Amino acid sequence: MSQTGSGEDVRLAEGIDHQVAMVMDLNKCIGCQTCTIACKTNWTDGGGREYMYWNNVETKPGSGYPRDWEEMGGGWDEEGQERTPGDLPESEDYGRPWEFNHEQVMYEGSDEPLRPMDQADWGPNWDEDEGAGEYPNSYYFYLPRICNHCTHPSCVEACPRSALYKREEDGIVLVDQDRCRGYRYCVEGCPYKKVYYNAMKKTSEKCIFCYPRIEGEGPEGEVMAPSCAEDCPPQLRMVGYLDDEEGPIHKLVNEYEVAVRLHPEYRTEPNVYYIPPFAPPQHSESGESVEAERIPRNYLEELFGPAVNEALNTIERERARVERGEESEVMEMLTTTDTADQYRLEVFDE
């Protein structure tokens, strides 16, 4: 536990000086997958990583990536003391990279549409934009996911060789490639299935929160936010430290409590938070708006726990303040385009 200057308690893992964290505003995500490609080209273009998406964007409601990951177990029991059993995803659950008929279409003059050459029956975001509900009140939203760099990570506990660890200076969870023997207990133990097994290297690999970028190892020595955040066209991610009481991360998570965790019942205490999605109200058959929320609250509770209700209510109140011409720090933080506010990564350099 860490206490800020204003006396608020912030839960940090034992032995961790500061916890880096991310807040994603789901109301801004357009599902363009730019973050996915930014991560893919930076970190997972090597052998054995073809199926890996350390960052992915999935449509909710939907099966996600790997398929049905929310039903595979892992994490901790209700007391947060004992790890709960988890399953290993099958290779088919991740999907496989498809070969397309580029040669045929681009160079041989074929009239065939561009399509996978083999029969494709599953892949990341296979159920893109399907969602749920009935016309005219169907609904869906996009959910970007990376490793949550949890405060209480079950992947770290699961490894019998202590190959996974949290960095003392910022709480980033990494895999020591020299110690890892590829047992895959970490893959079983992570309830978010954000640890991957490289069958060519026979080690586990995962999101590293772009730590070389936040350490200032770029060509100019500048500190940069993770590429998934900086490359995002609608700039939906904020990056900083959970215990930086002047930063938007701390304020949105701990002060205003409008940023919530994904599946808090897994009890790994993720350090990636989400501003829950809003949607237009439902429509009647004649097209008139009716007083009913389009995205069911019980579905959002399944994803984000009961705290999502007060988060949505708070944002609703803050929106109303702005509509009345009053000031709202919450809405200022959620709509800022100042990168100095979006990415506060140098406050604990000393």
Side-chain angles (χ1 to χ4, degrees), residues 27 49 53 65 81 104 124 147 152 238-239 241 251 293 299 303 312:
N27 298 287
R49 301 184 183 119
Y53 291 93
Y65 162 82
Q81 299 297 318
Q104 187 181 13
C147 166
H152 195 198
M238 284 170 273
V239 185
Y241 291 93
K251 291 182 178 180
E293 292 179 313
Y299 178 66
L303 283 181
L312 289 166

Side-chain angles (χ1 to χ4, degrees), residues 64-239:
Y65 162 82
R67 180 169 47 192
D68 298 328
W69 61 269
E70 291 164 289
E71 300 169 14
M72 292 183 180
W76 301 90
D77 64 6
E78 289 189 11
E79 287 73 37
Q81 299 297 318
E82 300 289 333
R83 287 194 303 110
T84 58
D87 296 329
L88 271 179
E90 302 287 340
S91 59
E92 294 79 12
D93 296 326
Y94 293 100
R96 58 185 167 80
W98 302 325
E99 294 292 333
F100 285 76
N101 54 340
H102 288 111
E103 187 76 20
Q104 187 181 13
V105 173
M106 303 297 291
Y107 302 110
E108 297 177 4
S110 170
D111 291 332
E112 288 289 317
L114 188 66
R115 60 175 52 157
M117 295 172 69
D118 300 325
Q119 183 64 39
D121 55 9
W122 179 255
N125 213 16
W126 178 264
D127 45 12
E128 182 178 35
D129 293 358
E130 286 187 6
E134 299 294 332
Y135 175 84
N137 293 309
S138 55
Y139 64 92
Y140 64 80
F141 58 91
Y142 301 113
L143 181 70
R145 296 202 303 123
I146 61 172
C147 166
N148 294 305
H149 299 278
C150 304
T151 296
H152 195 198
S154 52
C155 60
V156 170
E157 184 76 14
C159 181
R161 288 185 52 80
S162 300
L164 283 92
Y165 63 100
K166 279 180 75 67
R167 298 207 314 178
E168 179 181 323
E169 62 268 38
D170 51 24
I172 291 175
V173 175
L174 297 175
V175 183
D176 184 335
Q177 296 291 305
D178 293 328
R179 294 191 63 82
C180 181
R181 293 293 180 272
Y183 299 147
R184 288 176 280 181
Y185 295 128
C186 53
V187 183
E188 288 179 351
C190 174
Y192 301 95
K193 301 307 172 205
K194 276 298 178 187
V195 189
Y196 301 86
Y197 176 65
N198 188 323
M200 289 182 67
K201 293 190 171 183
K202 301 192 186 309
T203 58
S204 291
E205 300 177 345
K206 61 181 289 301
C207 159
I208 59 173
F209 212 84
C210 285
Y211 75 80
R213 293 171 61 98
I214 69 174
E215 287 178 352
E217 293 187 7
E220 305 293 329
E222 70 275 38
V223 171
M224 302 176 72
S227 57
C228 61
E230 287 215 334
D231 285 14
C232 173
Q235 289 291 284
L236 64 92
R237 305 180 191 220
M238 284 170 273
V239 185

